[in-house]
Amino acid sequence: MCSGCVVHLKEFTIKLDVQGLKRHDIMKVAEIMYRRRALLKKVLIISDTHGLLRDEVKAKLPTVDFVIHAGDINTPMVLQYLNEHSELFIIRGNNDKEWACNLPKILVITIEGVRILLVHNKEDIPKELTNIDVVIYGHSHKYDDKIVDGVLWLNPGSCGKHRFDLPISMCEMWISGGVYKYEKIIIE
């Protein structure tokens, strides 16, 4: 019997405070908790980096399952770095020139049952949003989040160069089973 123990499963550590459970039962509880955690996906949402990948963004990469970049990357080096360090969903912005011609202007993805439309400029969002739960866009450099007809419209702001006296920001989102939660992160 254990009064407290630590269980390590596939690079995931679970600390259990249990009384009166046998080791076999503790392992069952730990495996259930691991499986539930495995369904939770953490997403870093950024936009308008304009050739600058801040240390705060780089520090988040090992902690997330996916990165969504809503355009205006500006340099292939930023794209390459993100690609090397995370699973990446990215679209082309108005400042992404010839080097980015193979990037889509609009992208629809599904993460753990949540359908996400990704576009750089809000003006390019289709009028009919069938089967979309979240719209992620950039361009304005200004953080915004609102629900429109049951759909979250989210602009993470810019985490690139300081412009327009706006705060530098990005967003984290947690997704599981068709449900999401998000949080604004101010860098400066």
Side-chain angles (χ1 to χ4, degrees):
M1 301 229 193
C2 290
S3 60
C5 61
V6 175
V7 179
H8 300 279
L9 293 170
K10 303 175 189 170
E11 301 176 9
F12 181 66
T13 302
I14 300 170
K15 293 180 182 177
L16 297 173
D17 206 8
V18 293
Q19 296 251 331
L21 287 180
K22 296 179 182 170
R23 181 168 170 39
H24 176 62
D25 294 328
I26 292 169
M27 291 304 290
K28 281 183 182 177
V29 169
E31 184 67 29
I32 290 167
M33 290 174 69
Y34 174 77
R35 286 184 184 164
R36 286 188 180 164
R37 184 253 172 227
L39 296 176
L40 179 68
K41 300 299 180 192
K42 187 174 177 184
V43 183
L44 180 64
I45 304 169
I46 60 177
S47 186
D48 297 281
T49 50
H50 291 282
L52 174 63
L53 204 53
R54 293 177 177 273
D55 290 338
E56 295 88 346
V57 174
K58 291 178 183 178
K60 291 282 184 188
L61 296 178
T63 72
V64 300
D65 298 294
F66 304 102
V67 172
I68 292 176
H69 193 306
D72 276 0
I73 307 124
N74 279 71
T75 67
M77 284 76 68
V78 169
L79 175 65
Q80 181 180 351
Y81 188 90
L82 291 172
N83 241 344
E84 290 171 358
H85 291 87
S86 61
E87 189 164 342
L88 179 63
F89 298 104
I90 194 164
I91 49 99
R92 183 177 59 216
N94 61 298
N95 286 302
D96 297 320
K97 301 303 178 195
E98 303 81 37
W99 70 269
C101 66
N102 290 329
L103 295 177
K105 285 187 138 188
I106 190 167
L107 184 64
V108 177
I109 61 173
T110 302
I111 300 174
E112 285 299 315
V114 173
R115 293 203 20 102
I116 301 169
L117 174 87
L118 182 57
V119 65
H120 181 64
N121 192 330
K122 189 173 167 180
E123 310 246 331
D124 296 329
I125 297 170
K127 298 208 185 309
E128 294 295 320
L129 291 175
T130 307
N131 296 322
I132 297 295
D133 302 302
V134 177
V135 172
I136 295 174
Y137 62 98
H139 188 60
S140 71
H141 293 234
K142 184 177 180 181
Y143 181 91
D144 190 29
D145 65 346
K146 62 183 168 231
I147 303 292
V148 178
D149 296 325
V151 176
L152 171 64
W153 289 49
L154 177 64
N155 183 334
S158 170
C159 62
K161 299 170 184 169
H162 233 305
R163 297 175 79 185
F164 312 121
D165 292 325
L166 294 169
I168 304 297
S169 64
M170 58 185 169
C171 190
E172 283 183 320
M173 182 176 277
W174 297 265
I175 305 174
S176 181
V179 178
Y180 61 85
K181 177 184 175 214
Y182 63 96
E183 180 179 341
K184 176 182 181 179
I185 298 170
I186 298 291
I187 295 175
E188 289 182 3

